[in-house]
Amino acid sequence: MDGRTHGRALDAARLGAELGERATLVQFSTAFCQPCRATRRVLAEVARMVDGVAHVEVDAEARLALVRELGITRTPTVLVLDAGGRIVRRAVGQPRTVDVVAALGEAM
């Protein structure tokens, strides 16, 4: 996990979407990113399965200031936020469902 973002907090105003009651899966994507589509399906499925979890997708090209601030260099990048919006996990590339669920266990 990237130490530059660990422990930082994001809120609904900065993300442009409401956070989950218990945790939030934040996905940074770009329009032509093939793995981003699969990542979207995995994260949406997990958010449906786990009460209080939200999935927020951020268009990296439209949110360059936030991308730079968080040191996002590739898409998809997924941040797992706890209930307070603090970044507790960060992963680059297409995640497996089991890994997303495990990361949520740390966040909740």
Side-chain angles (χ1 to χ4, degrees), residues 12-102:
R14 291 182 63 209
L15 287 177
E18 288 300 314
L19 299 181
E21 193 176 295
R22 297 173 65 200
T24 306
L25 302 168
V26 180
Q27 174 185 349
F28 285 85
S29 300
T30 51
F32 298 104
C33 165
Q34 271 308 113
C36 293
R37 293 183 184 121
T39 298
R40 180 182 310 120
R41 287 190 297 273
V42 168
L43 298 182
E45 177 187 358
V46 171
R48 281 192 302 273
M49 289 185 331
V50 183
D51 285 341
V53 173
H55 170 224
V56 174
E57 189 167 3
V58 176
D59 179 347
E61 295 167 319
R63 304 292 304 276
L64 286 177
L66 185 60
V67 164
R68 287 186 189 109
E69 177 188 336
L70 296 173
I72 306 293
T73 58
R74 290 181 42 209
T75 57
T77 292
V78 178
L79 305 178
V80 179
L81 312 181
D82 66 12
R86 285 179 303 280
I87 300 168
V88 296
R89 290 290 303 268
R90 175 187 180 119
V92 177
Q94 183 179 333
R96 298 180 313 154
T97 301
V98 66
D99 296 331
V100 175
V101 172

